[in-house]
Amino acid sequence: MQLLRNADLKSYNTFGIAAKAELLARFGSVADLRSLLTVPELADRPRLVLGGGSNVLFTHDFQGVVLLNEIPGIDVINEDERTVLVKAGAGVVWHELVLYCVQHGFGGIENLSLIPGKVGAAPMQNIGAYGVEIKDTFHSLEALRTSDGEVITFDKAACNFGYRESFFKREGRDRFVILSVTFQLNKAPHALNTSYGNIIDELERTGITQPTITDVSNAVIAIRRSKLPDPTLLGNAGSFFKNPVVPKALAEKIKASYPDAVAYPAGDGLMKLAAGWLIEKAGWKGHRAGACGVHDRQALVIVNHGGATGQAVYDLSEQVLQSVKDRFGVELEREVNIL
Ligand code: FAD
Ligand code: EPU
């Protein structure tokens, strides 16, 4: 097992931040991971498991060991006439799993097409897009508990999923390495979810009247490409902040002053506000601060124009957060994992 010292992390994070890891190793199986965890030099070091590095911001070098998850494999482990259980290794690229499912006629995750990163990180923040979250089709996952090397199976309830939240992002953080995730998907005829965003517009634009899961996947891919920057061309980690959930009274107060404010009901006297709208209204869209800035097509995305430090990106996010708070009385919460 190769252990790299003073490893450059630039190509392992989609922000393209040039941080270093004291040590870096890869694992492709639970056996690899177990033996890595018993290497004396690594046993007491801080550890960071990385998938595609598309939801992290390195604000300094990582003093410890970065473990790159490369566990492969996509398998159908059970099926009946209507449903199928698909188990994927945590190192599988998420979009490749989506394409596999779409090609095999397994419906349920097509709205999550083109989300960067790997399968193992998807439960971390219960990834979501276009009206669907992984919790909707999640069956179970296997994770290694680092304290004793045991592999534990988590069902949906144990993962405690919420909006961009889970047990693994909170109490379970740094205590488990997710090894595989199993989804319960549907065979045709599929119940499609086309009500969110501009999926219907995109299907109409392309002349599709009776969409299949492939059509929905293609529509989502086209919409995402038109809005979100491609990290291979412009460093970013997607939405930097979550969309804030606020009391209805605060949302109504904002709406009274700004009738175009974007707000959706979020249950229990709460409303979810579009953080992109708040940030744009606070004047940040397209703003550039040295090598980093706020994306000019989607104000929720902070970008690295090239050569930005993680600290500069973080400082910009702090300014954005403060100005939204001053202007609207809304406190944004970062979605990206700050390291
Ligand atoms: P990483 O960045 O490598 O890791 C993220 C966190 O998970 C870290 O804390 C890491 O330690 C932990 N982790 C990773 N793997 C494991 C594991 N196997 N076991 C335990 N912990 C682990 N997200 C959405 O929800 N919806 C979107 O629509 C969306 N769009 C995006 C668009 C762009 C252009 C970009 C760059 C990002 C977007 N994201 C979106 C965010 C990101 O893609 C997801 O959060 C994704 O799941 C991160 O996967 P990753 O493998 O890159 O995780
Ligand atoms: N908006 C603005 N100005 C902007 C950006 C957005 O006014 O600069 C408005 C839009 O006009 C729209 C609303 O805000 O009315 C919502 O915008 P959009 O549909 O682009 O989605 P979002 O709420 O900004 C969320 C997720 C994305 C996900 C999309 C699609 C969060 C934090 N972000 O973005 O996820 O892809 O919806 O479902 O929930 C991510 O998590 O990294 C991510 C990209």
Side-chain angles (χ1 to χ4, degrees), residues 54-55 111-113 115-116 125 127-133 163-164 196-198 220 223-224 227-228 236-244 260-264 272-281 285-286 294-301 333 335-336:
S54 64
N55 208 19
N111 293 46
L112 305 177
S113 295
I115 296 182
Q125 68 160 16
I127 56 168
Y130 297 95
V132 171
E133 295 180 324
Y163 164 61
R164 298 296 191 270
Y196 186 95
N198 14 23
V220 168
I223 298 165
R224 293 182 68 94
K227 282 192 185 181
L228 291 164
N236 75 92
S239 301
F240 200 91
F241 302 97
K242 295 182 188 181
N243 284 325
D260 63 327
V262 185
Y264 319 90
K272 189 188 269 188
L273 300 173
W277 182 91
L278 294 167
I279 297 168
E280 179 175 349
K281 274 288 168 221
K285 198 169 186 171
V294 174
H295 191 45
D296 56 6
R297 271 180 289 150
Q298 173 36 296
L300 197 41
V301 179
E333 187 188 340
E335 176 192 299
V336 172

Side-chain angles (χ1 to χ4, degrees), residues 153-207:
T153 300
F154 287 76
D155 65 9
K156 198 196 293 196
C159 293
N160 203 9
F161 290 126
Y163 164 61
R164 298 296 191 270
E165 279 301 340
S166 76
F167 165 81
F168 298 97
K169 203 169 173 180
R170 299 261 171 213
E171 311 91 300
R173 187 181 275 278
D174 298 332
R175 291 173 46 213
F176 293 90
V177 180
I178 296 169
L179 304 168
S180 68
V181 187
T182 301
F183 295 92
Q184 180 164 31
L185 303 168
N186 297 308
K187 296 183 180 174
H190 300 112
L192 300 181
N193 191 332
T194 55
S195 57
Y196 186 95
N198 14 23
I199 297 184
I200 289 180
D201 297 346
E202 179 61 24
L203 291 170
E204 267 176 20
R205 196 187 65 77
T206 45

Side-chain angles (χ1 to χ4, degrees), residues 3 7 22 33 46 49 52 55 79 96 101 126-127 136 144 166 257:
L3 205 53
E22 197 179 1
L33 177 61
V49 182
N55 208 19
E79 63 185 311
E96 285 175 12
C101 292
N126 176 28
I127 56 168
D136 304 331
L144 180 134
S166 76
S257 309

Side-chain angles (χ1 to χ4, degrees), residues 218-292:
N218 288 337
V220 168
I221 290 172
I223 298 165
R224 293 182 68 94
R225 287 205 170 121
S226 73
K227 282 192 185 181
L228 291 164
D230 175 352
T232 61
L233 305 174
L234 187 61
N236 75 92
S239 301
F240 200 91
F241 302 97
K242 295 182 188 181
N243 284 325
V245 176
V246 301
K248 206 170 168 203
L250 177 55
E252 279 168 358
K253 190 173 155 221
I254 295 170
K255 272 263 185 204
S257 309
Y258 304 90
D260 63 327
V262 185
Y264 319 90
D268 267 355
L270 299 170
M271 300 284 278
K272 189 188 269 188
L273 300 173
W277 182 91
L278 294 167
I279 297 168
E280 179 175 349
K281 274 288 168 221
W284 291 100
K285 198 169 186 171
H287 172 88
R288 190 157 172 171
C292 56

